[in-house]
Amino acid sequence: MIIEHKTVIADVKLVADFQRYISYWRKRFTEQPITDFCSVIRINSTAPFEEQDNYFLLCDVLPEDRILREELQKQRLKQILEQQQQERNDDNFQGSCMFCNEEFLGNRSVLLNHMAREHTFNIGLPDNIVNCNEFLCTLQKKLDNLQCLYCEKTFRDKNTLKDHMRKKQHRKINPKNREYDRFYVINYLELGKSWEEVQLEDDRELLDHQEDDWSDWEEHPLSAVCLFCEKQAETIEKLCVHMEDAHEFDLLKIKSELGLNFYQQVKLVNFIRRQIHQCRCYGCHEKFKSKADLRTHMEEAKHTSLLPERQTWDQPQYYFPTYENDTLLCTLSDSESDLTAQEQNGNIAIISEDTSKLRALKQSSILNQLLLHESLKN
């Protein structure tokens, strides 16, 4: 169009549906002269008249062009939202993890949550993603080509690539790679604006309205994940019902029978999380190849409720969570009965450590014992 017809379309990459855009203007140019719609740009204006050229610029300064672009954008957004809703409700998704090759069936969120939790590979909330299959295929192709997803360097073999992504904490995508923009709904919301521009505007709006009334704030609950499978629930009550029905594991009953306070519950949850993560049955200590095999064994052998002795899991090392941001830990109750039980055992005085002798303190710290214990175990 530039060479043959001396016509320039401004910001062509921002046109949502280029084929319909061209069809519309082709029709309009047959109805009225092109100069009625386009700005005329004369080049070589100082040259003789016969050597001067006129170019025609079609841009959204023209109200008709602006309305057309906005309408095409709205139609595109509608299609994207329909596609996103279909994917959100689709329970026939099938895919495998890019890091451990475990197969997943059901909703796409199961696979995405697995990669985020098990491999710290987080590409965003499932509800913010569209064309998920194409997105995962794009990422898998890069890994098959031995390319790091974050720095995009290429390596000689898979093991070298895996070590690089793990050590450099590159298990994430490159946010500056515009190739991924089409897989996020936010990039379709406003005409001509990327997610970075939309986010920047949101931040400015927050700064401008810091004194606003927050009385209408609605907090969206976070979902806690089952100890044994991928099931999620918004409350501890719903999750406990699921674990009791599906896995015959009654967390509330165990808490009551063993008289667990909040911190003991934390250690028990972290202990079970670690055993399941390592595919090891805590009832008989048998190790399995996959979590699916482990679940089958524990349910058939009734080992989900067969907890080991208290001294096995009531250890300082289990103060530390197996998974980052484990929401289940935040939903554990610190009830009045816990405090009463502690009071019945007597008032415990907490004495601060003497920091005047730091070297002696470091040598006698319990962290040294934990590190030695982990090293020997590894």
Side-chain angles (χ1 to χ4, degrees):
M1 291 182 66
I2 294 175
I3 296 173
E4 297 294 332
H5 305 287
K6 295 182 171 56
T7 303
V8 179
I9 299 175
D11 295 322
V12 65
K13 64 179 181 179
L14 301 181
V15 177
D17 189 335
F18 187 67
Q19 185 173 354
R20 292 185 62 186
Y21 181 85
I22 289 295
S23 298
Y24 177 88
W25 283 117
R26 181 188 295 115
K27 181 176 181 296
R28 293 291 283 135
F29 289 164
T30 62
E31 298 171 351
Q32 293 176 235
I34 191 172
T35 52
D36 289 353
F37 307 107
C38 299
S39 303
V40 180
I41 303 173
R42 179 171 295 172
I43 65 171
N44 299 332
S45 57
T46 57
F49 182 78
E50 60 273 8
E51 296 180 10
Q52 294 181 9
D53 276 328
N54 288 338
Y55 279 77
F56 305 98
L57 176 64
L58 182 61
C59 64
D60 59 3
V61 173
L62 179 71
E64 185 176 353
D65 185 87
R66 179 71 182 178
I67 293 172
L68 174 61
R69 290 177 183 237
E70 290 177 347
E71 184 61 31
L72 293 176
Q73 174 70 14
K74 289 178 183 177
Q75 294 178 12
R76 177 71 179 276
L77 177 59
K78 182 181 178 181
Q79 294 172 357
I80 289 297
L81 292 177
E82 289 175 351
Q83 175 68 22
Q84 181 207 29
Q85 187 64 32
Q86 179 185 344
E87 293 180 13
R88 289 175 64 184
N89 298 331
D90 182 19
D91 291 328
N92 296 317
F93 173 85
Q94 181 176 359
S96 59
C97 175
M98 294 186 288
F99 301 97
C100 66
N101 296 324
E102 185 176 349
E103 293 285 340
F104 291 89
L105 299 173
N107 193 275
R108 60 180 184 166
S109 62
V110 178
L111 171 57
L112 297 180
N113 290 333
H114 162 83
M115 291 194 294
R117 188 172 59 254
E118 301 288 343
H119 307 288
T120 62
F121 179 71
N122 190 353
I123 57 176
L125 295 174
D127 285 348
N128 295 338
I129 294 173
V130 68
N131 296 320
C132 186
N133 280 330
E134 184 184 354
F135 193 9
L136 294 175
C137 288
T138 300
L139 297 175
Q140 185 64 58
K141 187 176 180 180
K142 288 181 180 290
L143 292 178
D144 292 341
N145 291 332
L146 306 178
Q147 186 178 26
C148 174
L149 298 177
Y150 183 72
C151 67
E152 301 186 340
K153 293 180 181 177
T154 303
F155 294 84
R156 65 176 181 271
D157 55 53
K158 281 190 175 181
N159 289 332
T160 306
L161 172 61
K162 288 170 63 177
D163 288 343
H164 161 81
M165 293 180 67
R166 177 176 56 84
K167 292 178 180 178
K168 296 290 185 179
Q169 296 184 350
H170 281 190
R171 284 187 173 178
K172 49 190 174 183
I173 63 174
N174 184 358
K176 297 186 182 299
N177 190 334
R178 301 272 77 90
E179 178 186 4
Y180 303 131
D181 285 356
R182 68 183 188 274
F183 301 118
Y184 292 92
V185 175
I186 191 173
N187 292 301
Y188 298 93
L189 297 182
E190 293 190 50
L191 179 63
K193 291 182 181 178
S194 66
W195 65 270
E196 292 172 314
E197 294 169 312
V198 173
Q199 191 176 57
L200 185 60
E201 287 184 355
D202 291 342
D203 292 341
R204 287 174 181 165
E205 187 176 341
L206 285 175
L207 292 174
D208 293 340
H209 297 85
Q210 284 184 339
E211 302 301 324
D212 286 357
D213 181 16
W214 289 71
S215 59
D216 60 345
W217 171 264
E218 293 184 9
E219 183 176 2
H220 297 283
L222 297 174
S223 296
V225 182
C226 173
L227 291 170
F228 305 100
C229 68
E230 307 293 335
K231 174 69 176 178
Q232 300 183 40
E234 294 179 356
T235 65
I236 183 67
E237 290 79 11
K238 291 180 180 179
L239 192 62
C240 286
V241 170
H242 159 75
M243 289 193 291
E244 185 178 358
D245 293 342
H247 309 292
E248 297 183 6
F249 181 84
D250 192 340
L251 181 60
L252 298 179
K253 181 180 178 182
I254 292 172
K255 170 194 170 184
S256 176
E257 290 180 348
L258 299 181
L260 303 183
N261 60 30
F262 173 76
Y263 296 104
Q264 290 169 330
Q265 293 177 70
V266 167
K267 287 188 279 188
L268 177 60
V269 167
N270 288 334
F271 167 77
I272 295 176
R273 286 266 195 239
R274 189 174 302 182
Q275 300 304 305
I276 300 300
H277 177 72
Q278 295 172 347
C279 297
R280 182 182 289 111
C281 174
Y282 53 74
C284 63
H285 309 294
E286 185 177 351
K287 192 170 175 58
F288 293 85
K289 293 182 179 180
S290 68
K291 290 183 180 179
D293 294 340
L294 172 63
R295 280 197 298 269
T296 301
H297 158 77
M298 295 186 72
E299 291 171 3
E300 290 179 352
K302 308 293 184 183
H303 282 184
T304 51
S305 57
L306 186 63
L307 290 177
E309 296 295 327
R310 183 188 290 259
Q311 59 265 28
T312 302
W313 55 264
D314 196 0
Q315 298 292 334
Q317 59 181 309
Y318 296 116
Y319 278 126
F320 305 99
T322 303
Y323 301 128
E324 185 179 4
N325 300 325
D326 190 346
T327 310
L328 177 57
L329 298 176
C330 303
T331 59
L332 297 175
S333 63
D334 191 6
S335 62
E336 290 294 326
S337 59
D338 295 339
L339 298 176
T340 305
Q342 289 183 6
E343 291 171 356
Q344 290 173 352
N345 292 333
N347 294 326
I348 302 174
I350 301 176
I351 304 173
S352 63
E353 295 177 298
D354 182 7
T355 58
S356 61
K357 299 178 181 179
L358 286 177
R359 172 172 287 185
L361 180 60
K362 291 179 180 177
Q363 291 175 352
S364 61
S365 173
I366 191 173
L367 290 177
N368 293 330
Q369 301 175 26
L370 291 176
L371 292 173
L372 177 61
H373 176 73
E374 287 296 319
S375 300
L376 292 173
K377 189 169 73 171
N378 292 334

